[in-house]
Amino acid sequence: MNRRELIQKALGVGAAAFAVSQLRAQSAGSQYNGPAGGTRGSQLVTILTGPFDTSSQPNGVAPLAAAPQYATYVRIQAHPGQEGKIAIGGPAMASGSSNIADSAFLELWPNWDASFDNGRSDTWILSDPKWLNTIDLSQIYVYPEIAGETPIVTAFQLV
Amino acid sequence: MVVLSPSPVSGPFPVSGPPAPIATSSTLVNQVSIKPRLGQWSKILIGGPNLGTDESNAMAILYPVPNGGQADAFTVQDQGGQNTIDLSQIYVYATIPGDTPMVEAFGYQTV
């Protein structure tokens, strides 16, 4: 029985959320150390949310996580009101040169004024069909065509 | 440890002639999605080895997205969590030669 399971057993109802914060606290910096890839737990928690800023990277291409982080569901949405396309790809995109989007496997259209598709934003979703934590966020890279723009990223993990 | 990873064949898929398979040899994945490249003008036909340029035997026909809005997409995933989709049996055709629909494929790998 690991530390998280011990905490949950000892505190009962409500301990899961506490255990999640403990997991976060155990890890270095902002890293999140959830279950290893391929496993699953019983509580769905968000491990990544909000506008995703890649501007600290030299070429504007950033992985969703700097170290392996395993999720069961990932969603990337063009940020309403922003004007550039969003390229999504694997590690090859990090070393892309002239046209980074040519190394991507997907592009999202911008949604600058809600004039298309009844205002819905283009969105990419990947989920494990068995709800296992098999998606390594460190292997998914994002590149906003316009520097400084921030797609909305959400990732869920079962802990 | 099993990880759902991007397939090496993912990316822009140039179609300059007749319908072409996504992979030239058997390549099993869990999910594949094909989407017109944003800003290009081709209709994209998707089918099996018998896909015709006249849309015969097409399993999906995707309209282009020349100027904004959500792109049409064809997606199939094995809900049993296995690599069962053979990319060499999925053919793609673009009505404008040289256009590059985006192929996204993920497969389970043991790392």
Side-chain angles (χ1 to χ4, degrees), chain A:
Chain A
M1 182 176 290
N2 62 28
R3 182 176 174 183
R4 179 172 64 87
E5 291 167 333
L6 274 172
I7 293 170
Q8 287 179 324
K9 188 179 179 71
L11 299 182
V13 176
F18 176 70
V20 169
S21 65
Q22 286 292 300
L23 283 167
R24 287 197 180 104
Q26 289 167 17
S27 56
S30 59
Q31 299 296 318
Y32 181 90
N33 294 326
T39 63
R40 61 166 292 169
S42 56
Q43 185 191 10
L44 196 62
V45 299
T46 53
I47 56 174
L48 192 59
T49 56
F52 186 75
D53 186 2
T54 70
S55 60
S56 62
Q57 303 295 317
N59 58 358
V61 181
L64 296 183
Q69 306 285 325
Y70 296 97
T72 187
Y73 176 100
V74 181
R75 179 182 191 273
I76 302 175
Q77 173 194 337
H79 197 145
Q82 296 185 351
E83 300 185 354
K85 287 189 285 189
I86 304 296
I88 304 169
M93 206 167 76
S95 55
S97 53
S98 56
N99 186 348
I100 291 172
D102 283 343
S103 306
F105 56 65
L106 191 88
E107 288 175 300
L108 302 178
W109 267 112
N111 179 15
W112 55 85
D113 63 356
S115 60
F116 296 97
D117 295 326
N118 295 315
R120 288 181 300 170
S121 296
D122 207 357
T123 301
W124 176 72
I125 292 174
L126 178 69
S127 64
D128 184 289
K130 287 184 161 180
W131 288 94
L132 298 171
N133 295 315
T134 57
I135 302 166
D136 186 353
L137 299 183
S138 70
Q139 298 299 303
I140 297 175
Y141 287 71
V142 174
Y143 171 68
E145 183 185 56
I146 297 178
E149 292 200 337
T150 52
I152 307 297
V153 177
T154 304
F156 287 96
Q157 185 180 62
L158 275 159
V159 297

Side-chain angles (χ1 to χ4, degrees), chain B residues 26-46:
Chain B
S26 181
T27 303
L28 295 174
V29 296
N30 174 255
Q31 169 182 295
V32 62
S33 179
I34 301 159
K35 190 176 178 183
R37 186 85 184 261
L38 305 180
Q40 296 184 352
W41 290 81
S42 277
K43 268 199 302 189
I44 304 299
L45 279 54
I46 301 160

Side-chain angles (χ1 to χ4, degrees), chain B residues 19-103:
Chain B
I22 295 173
T24 53
S25 60
S26 181
T27 303
L28 295 174
V29 296
N30 174 255
Q31 169 182 295
V32 62
S33 179
I34 301 159
K35 190 176 178 183
R37 186 85 184 261
L38 305 180
Q40 296 184 352
W41 290 81
S42 277
K43 268 199 302 189
I44 304 299
L45 279 54
I46 301 160
N50 58 354
L51 175 65
T53 57
D54 60 355
E55 303 183 356
S56 58
N57 302 310
M59 59 176 77
I61 300 173
L62 308 177
Y63 246 148
V65 186
N67 189 30
Q70 292 187 331
D72 203 357
F74 169 77
T75 301
V76 62
Q77 183 174 27
D78 179 338
Q79 295 300 312
Q82 303 291 323
N83 290 333
T84 57
I85 302 165
D86 188 351
L87 296 181
S88 70
Q89 298 301 305
I90 297 180
Y91 283 64
V92 178
Y93 175 68
T95 55
I96 298 176
D99 272 1
T100 54
M102 298 295 268
V103 173

